[in-house]
Amino acid sequence: MKIVLRTFIIINILLFPLFPHIATAQLSKEEQITQLVERFMTERNIPGVSIALLKEDSLFYANAWGVTGGEQKPVELDTPFLLGSISKSLTGLAIAVLIDDGALDLDDSVTTLIPWLTFEDKKANAITISDLLSQTSGFGSYDGYKLSDRGLNDKEAIRLMAHEVSTLKLTVAPGEIHQYSNANYILLGALIEEIAGQPYSNFMQERIFTPLAMDNAAADKQSAYSNALPSGYESWFGQAYPGPDMYDNSGAPYGYIAASANDMMAYLSLLSGYNDDFFIDHTSAKAV
């Protein structure tokens, strides 16, 4: 199973319940966090971690441990990592920007906005942007996994995978039930490219990463490795070994965005309501 280094923004939520036996009375909160993370890394054989914690609108704690994969470089707060499915939330933010632009509406159908996309299952013509975001399109989880992690490097990778999504048969009619599927976010990536008239990675850089000062973030292979995205690790009987480089351009909308702990602090500040000018600022920074 592939292991990728993760940026743990909510490490306090994840780790504090795991070690209630640690004596904390004599330690500062920062020291408690450091002990918890180091113990967690030892017990789980985690080679490298970077952490940044936000308290209200200020940095509360930041630290980094260990080394990257094949490069064996020290992990730092600016070291980018693959975000996995946290990438979906950034794709959702991109859709929110387009809605704020007046370029689309949550109730718009996918086929209306992407005229070159023709679904083989005619029930899919009823899928809306809201269905994709909320994972209620009718695409099954297994079908989404079949289309994932292809390692595609083509600049047209998202469009190519969207064509593959169009061949899938829905398990239920759109809007009926929730089914977590990467297929939904492949289509959202294709939608962003169609509406913005530019590659998904360019739109994310211009409209999301740069305005938020996410300086190490990237949404395509070339940019990610230019920002020194490290190779990850593979697990073999519970031990971590440096693994091969792996990136999938078609997977950026659902799982292959790269970002550092510092980048995620900027993003978390927005989500926590401490960057209310983000959409206002975008009005004057729209890509032409």
Side-chain angles (χ1 to χ4, degrees):
M1 178 179 63
K2 182 72 179 179
I3 295 179
V4 293
L5 297 170
R6 302 293 188 188
T7 303
F8 290 103
I9 294 299
I10 55 172
I11 201 74
N12 55 331
I13 298 174
L14 295 176
L15 297 186
F16 273 95
L18 299 180
F19 311 113
H21 55 280
I22 295 179
T24 60
Q26 297 82 11
L27 300 176
S28 68
K29 290 183 178 179
E30 291 83 353
E31 290 170 330
Q32 292 175 41
I33 295 169
T34 299
Q35 278 198 5
L36 289 169
V37 174
E38 291 177 351
R39 186 169 196 148
F40 188 77
M41 290 180 67
T42 299
E43 292 182 353
R44 303 299 178 91
N45 295 314
I46 297 175
V49 169
S50 64
I51 294 173
L53 299 178
L54 185 70
K55 183 178 181 181
E56 296 179 349
D57 61 344
S58 301
L59 178 66
F60 172 69
Y61 178 90
N63 209 341
W65 299 261
V67 295
T68 63
E71 305 86 359
Q72 293 291 291
K73 293 182 178 179
V75 174
E76 301 175 346
L77 294 175
D78 281 332
T79 300
F81 305 93
L82 292 181
L83 298 181
S85 286
I86 294 174
S87 303
K88 292 182 175 70
S89 68
L90 285 157
T91 297
L93 177 59
I95 293 295
V97 167
L98 290 173
I99 291 173
D100 192 59
D101 288 349
L104 54 82
D105 187 84
L106 286 174
D107 294 326
D108 289 340
S109 70
V110 176
T111 52
T112 299
L113 297 171
I114 311 179
W116 50 263
L117 192 68
T118 302
F119 290 110
E120 292 185 9
D121 187 337
K122 299 309 177 185
K123 294 194 301 295
N125 290 331
I127 295 173
T128 66
I129 307 306
S130 179
D131 290 327
L132 296 178
L133 289 168
S134 61
Q135 305 273 18
T136 59
S137 65
F139 291 119
S141 298
Y142 179 67
D143 284 331
Y145 291 132
K146 286 195 302 182
L147 301 180
S148 304
D149 307 324
R150 296 283 186 87
L152 300 180
N153 299 326
D154 196 291
K155 292 182 179 180
E156 298 289 321
I158 294 175
R159 184 185 180 107
L160 292 172
M161 290 308 299
H163 278 296
E164 289 206 33
V165 173
S166 72
T167 68
L168 298 176
K169 183 177 178 60
L170 299 188
T171 62
V172 295
E176 286 192 2
I177 63 173
H178 175 274
Q179 296 180 105
Y180 188 90
S181 181
N182 288 338
N184 294 317
Y185 279 76
I186 292 172
L187 290 183
L188 287 171
L191 174 67
I192 290 167
E193 292 190 334
E194 181 68 18
I195 299 300
Q198 61 184 149
Y200 172 86
S201 59
N202 289 11
F203 182 85
M204 297 301 291
Q205 185 64 56
E206 293 176 11
R207 304 297 304 277
I208 305 296
F209 303 151
T210 296
L212 288 176
M214 296 176 67
D215 297 331
N216 304 288
D220 67 273
K221 181 175 182 178
Q222 181 178 354
S223 300
Y225 285 112
S226 293
N227 289 349
L229 174 70
S231 57
Y233 290 82
E234 291 180 328
S235 178
W236 185 254
F237 293 104
Q239 298 299 316
Y241 296 92
D245 294 342
M246 188 180 84
Y247 196 96
D248 186 343
N249 279 346
S250 71
Y254 67 74
Y256 278 84
I257 289 177
S260 69
N262 280 334
D263 295 333
M264 296 305 287
M265 282 295 294
Y267 180 43
L268 187 60
S269 178
L270 172 67
L271 297 183
S272 300
Y274 296 111
N275 190 352
D276 292 335
D277 292 335
F278 174 75
F279 285 100
I280 297 174
D281 293 343
H282 267 64
T283 303
S284 59
K286 293 178 183 177
V288 177

